[in-house]
Each structure stands twice: as C-alpha cells, then as structure tokens.
Amino acid sequence: MDTTQLLKGVLDLAVLAVLDGRDGYGYEVVRRLRTAGLDDVGDASVYGTLRRLYGAGHLSSYVVPSEEGPHRKYYSLTPSGRDLLDRSGKTWLGFADTVAALLDARPVAA
Amino acid sequence: MSVRMPEPSGPISSGPIPSGPISSAPATYVREVRRCLADLPPALSEELLDGLDEHLAEVAADSGRPLEGVLGTPAAYAQELRLAAELPEHGQARHSHVTAALRASAERLRRHDAVRSVLTFLPELRPAWWVARAWLALLALDFLFGSQSFAFPLPSALGLGAVLGLPLVIGAVVLSVQLGRRAQRRTPLQRRARLLAIAGNSVLALLALVAVAAVQQRSSMQPVYADDYATATYGYGSGNMLVREDGTPITNLYPYSSDGEPLTGVLLYDQDGRAVDNLLPSTLDGTPIARVLPTESAPQPGNAFPQRQRLQVYDDLGNASLAPEDPRTVPTPSVTPVPTSPNPSPTPSPTRSPEADRSRGPR
C-alpha cells in the first residue's frame, strides 16, 4: 500500500505531534518525521503543512539566529494547535482501532 | 553557509511553468519555485514562501548534494507545496484573486482574540436588540405616517399622543421578542424569509443611527429656561435670516417714534403680511441668543420689537447658561432717528392687516 496516500490524511497530525512539547524548525521537523519512520515524507509537503498550520493559527513561530548557517524559524504549538492535536489524535486512534479490528476479524487464512 | 536570496527585480513572470532548468544553488531553486507560484495572490504566496530560502539552504547544506537531486524539480516542489498548503492549483487562483485575499484577511480577523470574544458575546445581546427593534419599528411608523418627526422617548402613537405610546411600545416589544424566540427555536428559516429578516433588521439598525442623530440635533435646539424668565432660542429653520449686505447678522430691531422716543412691543410685518421674526438667533461669532419673555404676561409674538435677549454662554464644562441681559437692549437713541414717517397714523392696531400699515409705518 502506498504510504504517501495515507500520509496526506495524517500529515497535519504527525507534524503537530512532533512539535508537541518540543519546538522545531522546518528541516528539523522533516528529520524528526523521517527518524520516526515516515521515510517517504516530502520536504515540500512538510513545509507547506507548517505554513498552513501557522497561517491557521495553530502554530506560532520565532527566528533563532544560527552561527554556522542561516537563521532558523522555529515553530511551536499554540493553544489552538494543541487542541487540534488532541482532537485529531483521538479521531486517528479511533480510526486506527476500527481498521485494526477489521483486520483482526478476518477469517484466518488456511 | 549563509545564502541570501536576492529579491527578484520587476514583476515576476507568470508564464507557463518552466520545465526546470538545472539549478543547484538554493537561491536559484527558490527563485524557480517562486516563479511557479507567481499566479497566487502576493499575500498568499508570501505567507507560503516566508523562510523557504533559509529552509532550503539548510537542506542543501545537510545533504551536500544539488537540491534538484534531493527535492526534484522546482516545479514539482512548488506543486507539492500547493497541495500541502491547500492552495489552488496553478492557474486557478487568478480569477478569485481579490476574493481569496479578502477571505484570507477576514479569516485572520476572525481568529483575532478581541474579535473572537466580541463574536461570542454578540448572541447575548440578542434580547436587547429585540426590544430596541420594536421601539425603532414604532418610531419608523410614527415618522412615516404621523408627526414627520421623531418623538422621544415614546412615539407619539401616530399623532394620538404619548398616552397611547406606552401601551403601543409594550405591545411591539412583546411581539418582537416572540418573533425573535421563534426564529431562534425554529430550524433554519427559509432562505427568502431569512433574507427578509436580515433586510428588515438592517433597515431598523440604520434607522437607529438616524434617530440618534435627530435626538442630538433636537437637544441642541431645546429652549433654555432661566430662573425668572422663560426664554427660547429661535429655530434654525429657513436659512433666510436677516443679514446685512456685509454679512453682519441682524439680531434685534429698535423702533423709535418720530420724536426720538424708543418704542416697545411694536409688531413688524413685511410687504406680504408675514411677521418679521426671522432674525438670526446668534451673533456674528456664533454665540446663541436666547429671547427673554416675561413669564407672567401672555406669550409675546415673535415679531414684537425690540426683543429682550440674553446671550447663551458655556462654562468650562460645556454647561449652557445665560449671560446677563445684553446691554444693547438699551441703546442710546440717536439724535435724529430715521426714518421719519410722513404721516404717522395715530393708533395703528397690531391686529389690523399689515397690508394697510405698510405705507404708514410704525407709530
């Protein structure tokens, strides 16, 4: 199954999750997602998602000057972002449980 | 490594998406991405691309490879950005340029904390609005079919007097509240009824502004009552006030007899028999003049001269009060008063037709 299709639906949730409790800049978010196992996540997808969540008020941002490289724009969850994470998280877990139950209910292959 | 992207000079071309020239430097790469997003409203694309230079510089520095190799073509990258940010596909944004920008700023406004708290508070004001609109509706009816003026605080009940006004207001409030509660209970109104309700409410809200303005104007023209005299300022009506050619207002008239005696209580009429009472109710510098009427005697007609007047003055707090009587009410008579009437009538009656008096002049 193509994971990019699945990712589209849950990228918001994944981005919010990796920023929960630990602020991060764009490329860092990409790396955290990949380290967590979402190898196929596209750089532009993450960046576009960050900007959209920021535009919607779910993220705030601040710039941290970096000595060896370009400035880094850090993102952190706003209260509305944390709220979205809670709600989306519950939805996802319920959905995943349902699908898991469906898979479990299969007649065992001979 | 620090890479600053030069601002593109001149308007960005919105031509077809380039098929991706080979570019490795982040600055060039970002410029290509920008070009592919040039059809978006500037506000949207700026919000999307803010910080992208730094981000891509980091990616390039980390991978140590040309960006094309890591991220694909700029066109593909731009397309992926669009999808992730849920922006319109290439070429679809142009039509709704303005509306999209408006909607974005409206959405941003709605997210603002202050606006949000007001919006959540508004429904609580609904009952107050129900009462207000009942009263406003009565005012509107009153104005249209009754007095042609706003009566406060109660409508004059289509000219039937304030006694009927109170029950009418109560009835209208009850009706309005019932309407409001029903509209609230019932699941979505029909579209047309809903539009009608919105239009009606808007008209009434507009009327509220007009009414407030009218009240303000009225209160500035209220008569001022002094302790020992009833006084009243003149209405600011016609604009055809008596002024001299140089613009100096004529605020009072002092009739004299042919032998130099000052006269009092002289009624003046013009050539058409109209009472001459259109004196300017303020001095040249705009100070309002109040007419002083003795309280015990019958009300004096507006064209009785000379008039006793007092200037209306304001203290530091803006409270109106009347200055002591204007000294000009007792002017020193000139030695030879003019005009001298050729054949003075012995006993002109003020009630007589002024037409007849015209040639004879005042007593």
Side-chain angles (χ1 to χ4, degrees):
Chain A
M1 185 170 187
D2 188 4
T3 48
T4 50
Q5 287 297 321
L6 284 176
L7 253 181
K8 255 183 212 160
V10 291
L11 191 53
D12 285 20
L13 179 58
V15 166
L16 288 170
V18 299
L19 284 174
D20 188 26
R22 203 153 59 98
D23 300 353
Y25 56 93
Y27 190 46
E28 194 184 1
V29 173
V30 176
R31 275 194 313 219
R32 282 189 204 166
L33 289 170
R34 287 186 180 151
T35 311
L38 298 174
D39 307 319
D40 298 338
V41 75
D43 186 272
S45 298
V46 174
Y47 198 80
T49 301
L50 281 171
R51 294 312 297 168
R52 177 164 48 77
L53 291 174
Y54 172 78
H58 300 311
L59 298 177
S60 59
S61 80
Y62 53 93
V63 172
V64 175
S66 152
E67 277 167 23
E68 76 275 13
H71 295 337
R72 285 167 174 167
K73 193 188 275 283
Y74 277 76
Y75 293 91
S76 61
L77 294 192
T78 62
S80 99
R82 195 154 294 122
D83 187 50
L84 180 66
L85 173 60
D86 287 347
R87 283 184 286 119
S88 306
K90 285 195 184 96
T91 308
W92 167 256
L93 289 177
F95 182 77
D97 281 351
T98 308
V99 176
L102 279 175
L103 292 176
D104 285 346
R106 273 177 317 166
V108 182
Chain B
M1 180 180 86
S2 173
V3 179
R4 297 259 99 219
M5 210 206 65
E7 280 301 310
S9 55
I12 300 165
S13 135
S14 60
I17 299 180
S19 53
I22 301 304
S23 55
S24 50
T28 324
Y29 193 90
V30 173
R31 194 155 55 232
E32 286 304 317
V33 172
R34 249 175 223 278
R35 268 179 50 142
C36 298
L37 297 171
D39 62 309
L40 292 173
L44 272 184
S45 61
E46 275 320 299
E47 197 170 300
L48 179 61
L49 295 172
D50 184 42
L52 188 64
D53 337 351
E54 287 87 352
H55 173 70
L56 290 183
E58 187 119 19
V59 174
D62 189 64
S63 68
R65 288 195 292 147
L67 279 175
E68 290 263 337
V70 185
L71 303 171
T73 65
Y77 191 89
Q79 181 61 19
E80 199 180 328
L81 267 181
R82 264 182 217 270
L83 285 176
E86 292 174 2
L87 292 171
E89 302 269 318
H90 184 81
Q92 287 179 358
R94 211 126 258 263
H95 311 287
S96 52
H97 210 103
V98 179
T99 41
L102 276 179
R103 206 170 296 151
S105 43
E107 184 54 41
R108 216 167 297 142
L109 198 67
R110 213 172 295 141
R111 279 202 311 269
H112 197 273
D113 279 347
V115 176
R116 205 157 23 172
S117 64
V118 169
L119 284 181
T120 52
F121 176 62
L122 275 183
E124 296 183 29
L125 289 179
R126 233 173 240 150
W129 165 242
W130 293 339
V131 173
R133 76 173 170 191
W135 181 66
L136 284 168
L138 271 190
L139 266 191
L141 285 176
D142 199 27
F143 183 81
L144 285 177
F145 304 110
S147 49
Q148 294 288 315
S149 71
F150 293 110
F152 281 89
L154 294 176
S156 67
L158 313 183
L160 295 174
V163 181
L164 266 178
L166 186 62
L168 265 182
V169 168
I170 293 174
V173 166
V174 169
L175 197 74
S176 168
V177 169
Q178 273 178 343
L179 268 178
R181 297 196 53 157
R182 197 148 53 139
Q184 220 174 22
R185 268 204 309 272
R186 213 190 309 162
T187 33
L189 273 172
Q190 282 178 353
R191 191 179 146 77
R192 200 180 292 172
R194 207 185 146 105
L195 281 180
L196 210 68
I198 291 174
N201 279 342
S202 309
V203 168
L204 288 179
L206 197 69
L207 185 77
L209 291 180
V210 176
V212 165
V215 168
Q216 204 123 34
Q217 202 175 355
R218 267 166 57 105
S219 66
S220 70
M221 286 171 58
Q222 274 323 312
V224 185
Y225 293 100
D227 296 338
D228 48 347
Y229 293 109
T231 58
T233 49
Y234 295 106
Y236 299 85
S238 59
N240 297 317
M241 296 301 179
L242 288 181
V243 286
R244 280 198 272 209
E245 281 169 21
D246 62 355
T248 331
I250 298 176
T251 60
N252 209 345
L253 296 169
Y254 298 95
Y256 285 87
S257 72
S258 57
D259 51 0
E261 280 299 307
L263 304 174
T264 56
V266 178
L267 302 182
L268 295 183
Y269 297 90
D270 71 1
Q271 71 286 340
D272 295 324
R274 294 173 302 196
V276 175
D277 55 3
N278 53 337
L279 302 182
L280 209 67
S282 66
T283 62
L284 191 56
D285 60 5
T287 311
I289 297 173
R291 190 179 168 197
V292 180
L293 300 171
T295 40
E296 62 272 13
S297 73
Q300 263 189 302
N303 62 334
F305 292 98
Q307 294 181 351
R308 298 179 61 190
Q309 299 177 336
R310 293 169 74 179
L311 290 180
Q312 195 169 315
V313 293
Y314 296 91
D315 64 13
D316 292 342
L317 299 171
N319 298 318
S321 64
L322 293 174
E325 220 162 301
D326 197 319
R328 283 178 306 167
T329 44
V330 272
T332 46
S334 52
V335 185
T336 46
V338 279
T340 322
S341 183
N343 47 0
S345 159
T347 50
S349 157
T351 50
R352 176 198 304 206
S353 160
E355 202 74 29
D357 294 339
R358 187 162 35 135
S359 56
R360 272 173 269 172
R363 177 163 48 150

